Each structure stands twice: as C-alpha cells, then as structure tokens.
Amino acid sequence: WSRGIGEVYNRQYQRRVHGIIRINQEMVRVLKKRRTYCSNKCKKHTIHKVTQYKKGAESVKTQGRRRYDDKQKGYGGQTKPIFKKKVKTTKKIVLKLECTVCKGKWFLPIKRAKSIELIEENQRKKGGKKTKVAAGQIQLLSIFTLSLIHI
C-alpha cells in the first residue's frame, strides 16, 4: 500500500463503507444516516444519526480561565499573547454518531476539509442509474408511440 495505491483504495473504501463522498480538498459530503457498529450496548451494526461535532461553550469556572482573568485584572494591558498568524485553511472534521436504538454517542474524526455537507441518501446518486433508466424508458415510450401513430 505504500506505493500510492493505498490512497486510491482508501478513497474508494471510504465512499463504499462510510458514506463519505469527497468532492475535492475543500468539500466533503456525508450521509445523515449510516449503518455502522454500535460498541455501547447493542454490540451489533445499527443505524446511526450523523451530525457535525461542535465545541461546547467555554466554562467560566475552569482553573485556566480563573487564572487568566486574575492576571488580566487591573492595569498593565494584555498580559498573555493573542495568536494572530493563522496559517491553516482547513479543519479536521469530526463526526458525532448517535445510535438510534440505544442512543449511545461516539465521535469519528475524518480527514481535513474546508467545509462539510450533510446529505440525504437520495441526494447521493445524482445522475445515477435511476435517472438514466427513467430517461431511457421515456425514449423507448416515445419511439413506441410514434410507431403506433404511423401504423
């Protein structure tokens, strides 16, 4: 797998198993529901609801926050450096999966991307076999009706 084949295999594997469709480096499309293993109570494959992980509100009472606030009190201006030189343009995306049976939650980190789009199952197959078959049937139907008119 070290000769570059693994990367291609990995992309195909992700698409097939996890329902992650990677359009390019900026955009990732993920299915809202996924059938995967539940390691909490079920101990079997169940349907999980997928959402994007968001950081919770920062607590005011934590030790680091209290220490920082104490240091900032009074005169003297800003006491600690504020980071301004942001270099990275992407973030590591973390998916939050919730089992629909036992309501157990767990996190799944995936690769870096600028944005993520949660899609339904029917949005996944744009221009797939269903639409092509339907178009082919319409074409056959129109040819059949034309032949009936000429007869």
Side-chain angles (χ1 to χ4, degrees), residues 3-149:
R3 294 188 186 130
I5 302 166
E7 197 173 318
V8 175
Y9 172 77
N10 196 15
R11 275 194 218 126
Q12 289 169 349
Y13 176 76
Q14 280 184 338
R15 281 192 193 136
R16 246 184 288 136
V17 177
H18 299 304
I20 297 169
I21 302 162
R22 193 174 190 84
I23 296 168
N24 52 25
Q25 199 66 4
E26 287 86 33
M27 185 68 171
V28 174
R29 299 175 89 196
V30 180
L31 295 174
K32 284 184 182 177
K33 287 183 181 173
R34 169 190 298 200
R35 190 172 180 274
T36 188
Y37 184 76
C38 177
S39 59
N40 292 325
K41 292 177 187 171
C42 303
K43 302 289 182 197
K44 61 180 181 179
H45 279 74
T46 55
I47 294 172
H48 286 67
K49 194 169 73 175
V50 180
T51 52
Q52 189 179 1
Y53 166 75
K54 294 270 196 286
K55 194 175 119 177
E58 195 177 301
S59 176
V60 186
K61 298 173 183 175
T62 55
Q63 178 61 56
R65 187 79 217 171
R66 292 197 311 264
R67 188 183 291 120
Y68 178 74
D69 289 341
D70 286 344
K71 196 169 186 181
Q72 285 291 94
K73 274 182 192 171
Y75 297 109
Q78 183 66 36
T79 57
K80 285 194 160 266
I82 297 172
F83 185 71
K84 289 178 181 173
K85 294 180 182 178
K86 189 174 178 243
V87 178
K88 290 197 171 17
T89 56
T90 59
K91 288 188 175 182
K92 286 183 180 178
I93 294 169
V94 178
L95 302 177
K96 182 180 168 187
L97 291 105
E98 182 184 349
C99 180
T100 53
V101 180
C102 69
K103 304 295 180 197
K105 296 171 186 73
W106 55 283
F107 299 106
L108 177 71
I110 57 173
K111 291 185 178 179
R112 288 184 169 272
K114 281 189 179 176
S115 63
I116 181 172
E117 186 182 352
L118 293 167
I119 58 168
E120 298 287 340
E121 180 64 41
N122 57 1
Q123 291 177 319
R124 185 181 189 183
K125 296 168 185 161
K126 278 191 177 174
K129 289 181 181 177
K130 288 180 184 176
T131 53
K132 287 178 185 173
V133 168
Q137 285 173 348
I138 292 166
Q139 219 171 19
L140 282 170
L141 230 139
S142 61
I143 292 167
F144 182 69
T145 50
L146 284 172
S147 61
L148 284 175
I149 293 167

